[in-house]
Amino acid sequence: MDNFEKWDREFRAQNLFAFNGDMNALLWLKVRAVCRGKQLELFLHDNNIRLISTKISEQNVELFKLLETRPDALDILDAFLKVENHNLYASMGIDEARLKEDLYRIQHYAWGGDQNNSLDKYLISRYVKVISKYDDLIAKQAEIADNSWNYVQTSWYNNWTSYLIEALFKRHPKVVSAVGEIKSVDFFVNNVPIDLKVTYFPSQYMEMRLKDKLGCSEIVWLKKAAKQHGIVFDPNLNGSQLTYVLTEKLVEYSLESIVSELRQIKKDIILNAQNAPMKLMEWLYANQGEMR
């Protein structure tokens, strides 16, 4: 078994630990990072390399074996991978400033149905297999549409916030991007392959800590503040919508100090979690679902 087959087997088994600290393994990963269509074409052109193979999979093997013989292999790969325009997203012409503004338009974070399952599985288990009457299914049309939209919107938000966070890392001089989007490798830090995982600060944990600070839930606290100042609101809104409406109305009534107080308490909770993360780590382990 040659080196390509060896690392290919380890990668397919997702034994990424085997790639740490081994320069030949690192070479395999970085070659894989450039072996995607246009990236490969650019890399070969930039480095005056010609391959006999025509299929991408065969070119991957040929390029790896060729670069194994070159002492400058990792240097030329790093030089290519550090060029931002070689990233897959660069060809999409993403306006990051506009993207950030659009992300701020998402006012609540709500999954469509069950965040542990794909949308199709949720819809099948919730509607397709349990509702036998077509009229009953029609009656659920608006609910199904809301679930689908929430799923798409939240998935969109997750995808593009992850893109922006990843972009922050890739701007650091010690970071080399995996421009070809290798599965389980987003970039390299000091030649260590990194798979970036992002999660949001859990709302349930925040709610628990807020109850400790406020003596009640956030929504109850906001309702009390609104009632004290004669602010009328629709009590039939769901939790996230009502939180947003109450917050906006308090600002509208020039009661920004109440909103600022709440925000500061939330910031303190997040800061405490950053400075002493063990409680949050234990909570995440116990509450984020069986799969995780």
Side-chain angles (χ1 to χ4, degrees), residues 241-270:
Q241 290 173 331
L242 185 53
T243 298
Y244 174 70
V245 168
L246 289 171
T247 301
E248 290 297 304
K249 287 205 169 190
L250 285 166
V251 172
E252 184 183 325
Y253 278 71
S254 300
L255 297 167
E256 293 95 338
S257 59
I258 295 173
V259 177
S260 296
E261 180 186 353
L262 181 60
R263 284 177 179 160
Q264 187 57 53
I265 292 171
K266 287 184 174 182
K267 285 181 181 178
D268 290 342
I269 290 170
I270 293 171

Side-chain angles (χ1 to χ4, degrees), residues 110-123 125-127 147-148 150-151 155 288-291:
W111 281 102
D114 183 357
Q115 67 191 67
N116 293 317
N117 291 320
S118 61
L119 181 61
D120 61 335
K121 288 182 180 178
Y122 174 80
L123 295 176
S125 64
R126 183 73 176 264
Y127 303 104
N147 271 312
S148 300
N150 284 336
Y151 185 91
S155 297
Q288 276 207 314
E290 192 173 324
M291 186 182 295

Side-chain angles (χ1 to χ4, degrees), residues 117-152:
N117 291 320
S118 61
L119 181 61
D120 61 335
K121 288 182 180 178
Y122 174 80
L123 295 176
I124 289 170
S125 64
R126 183 73 176 264
Y127 303 104
V128 175
K129 290 192 174 182
V130 297
I131 297 175
S132 60
K133 295 180 180 177
Y134 186 59
D135 285 341
D136 291 345
L137 187 63
I138 291 175
K140 296 286 186 181
Q141 191 171 357
E143 181 180 308
I144 293 168
D146 285 343
N147 271 312
S148 300
W149 170 245
N150 284 336
Y151 185 91
V152 170

Side-chain angles (χ1 to χ4, degrees), residues 33-34 40 44 68 139 157 170 186 191 237 256-257 264 276:
V34 304
L40 178 58
L44 296 176
E68 272 191 304
Y157 182 87
K170 289 178 177 178
D186 296 306
N191 278 333
L237 295 173
E256 293 95 338
S257 59
Q264 187 57 53

